[in-house]
Amino acid sequence: MTQTPVSRTATPPPARAARTERSTPPSGERSGWTSCPGCGWLLYRKRLDRNLQVCPECDHHLRMDARARIDLLADTGSFAEQDFTALSPDPLSFTDLRAYPGRLDDASRRSQESEAVVVGTARIGGHDVVLAVMEFGFLGGSMGIEVGRRVCGAAELALERGLPLLTVCASGGARMQEGVFSLFQMARTSQAFARLREAGQLSVCLLTDPTYGGVSASFATLGSVVVAERGAHVGFAGPRVVQETIRAELPAGFQTAEFLLEHGLVDRVESRAEVRPLLIRLLALHSSASSDADRSGLFGGAARPGPRRSDDGPDAAAPVHEDPWVVVQEARCAERPTTLDYLHSAFDDFVELHGDRAFADDPAVVGGLASIEGRTVVVIGHQKGRTVRERVTRNFGMPHPEGYRKAQRLMDHAEAFSLPVVTLVDTPGAHPGPEAEERGQAHAIAGIIMRSSRLRVPVVAVVTGEGGSGGALALCTSDRLLVMENAFLSVISPEGCAAILWRTATEAPTAARAMRLGAAHLLETGIATSVVREPAGGAQADPVAAADRLREALVRELDDLAGSDPDTLLAARSRRLSGIGGAEAHAGTGPQPAPRTQD
């Protein structure tokens, strides 16, 4: 590292504090008024400043310069800029209508910056971070050699100090005046972010308006978490280039932040006021994960085998249903708590992360970072919904391939940061439609089963309701498999089994009994490692009590698995999976577990 830190307050000079896109004549600016680029409304500049440069009429987020952005995100007075030794600014001796060095001088004078990115260290909510904030006012935030060098320098600084890296992106793309040298900054910065990922260092990329070209196709979209500011335009080729190249009619909202979220390309879209609180939560959750690893020596112990047991609560006298068809009806009850219900009641905090980063965000699968009893985990679950409208929107909890690819991406995140995984299973099965087949449904399910079978962090799965076929198994490959008392796991729905073997779906109750559906059979055969008792009347009768019991069971299992050595963990998981279907299962019985009483 050749950079040396230079202290600089995060508060910009008054003349620069509110610099944004403007469309009013100079006289309008001198009078303190400006018009909104989104709706044309005339805005009083002081009111606009108080509203964080967001139009109060149409919610258009005006552009902010780098210093104002740092002031918005960093704790007051915490920013210390990183100084970079100047290099030759003109590798091609480039001249168009004017010489390139003249353009650089003019850009520096106008933006009051030495380049299109500002790098330094700061604190956000008390958490130390490295910042790399792009300045669109410097040649449109274009990426040349110096921008690439500074972004890589920020990544190197994050690696050296073990700090998270936050990049705020605003760019028109590559810097044409530096030719192929500019092009290769995409590879240079991508390699720097790859090193961060390999080291398990958190990187968060905030995409602001606009982010295009070589920046969007390199480091801007390679963060551990990618957040887009509301209304930001992000893409590879700009709309004008697209229209001129292929003469295509572009869809409404094309390349907006909301468009990206719908297509699974970003984790979240936030308003400007919501960005800093979100960053603080993300930093706290990942900081807690690092502390957990240090305290437990992760991964320095041995995985314990995990006895089969029934978790008895105050209603332990209530028997597990013996009629499998009754279990099926209970598991399908529309009033049962959903994954999101449990996430907001059994866990202490939850930050949802969206999308498969390839095609779409499947609402039938929800997942993200959560905390429980001071421990950070990655939680993934099926989401059926409650109302008819929500169930239709969530596709009744039946995932498409992108839902499973989102889940696998979150498992990758868990392994990168040594976080345990918790899955909550409640689905009739994977979506069977032609569009799912076209996008590789079988490949997606096989991929996540294979990935979870070799995941080098603890995995605890809970069947909370209906567990239908491979669509459920995709989230059940785990070290511990818990089953709620009124839940089941099946190779096919009872109706499907009856239609095939009995030639009529009316024999579904008979099929359910023949397949021995229910928690009791799963526990007896060793498929489930634990049964979580539900309140009298089922989880739907007392969702709060059900969440409390699930929380207690999860905390116990996570405590049992904490500190497990990855190789030992994988060996135990392999033995567990290999043992399913052994002699005890064929006999239809198994050793009865000793009851466990929860205090």
Side-chain angles (χ1 to χ4, degrees), residues 228-245:
E229 194 170 67
R230 187 180 296 171
H233 287 78
V234 181
F236 180 57
R240 187 188 310 168
V241 174
V242 174
Q243 290 174 322
E244 290 180 357
T245 303

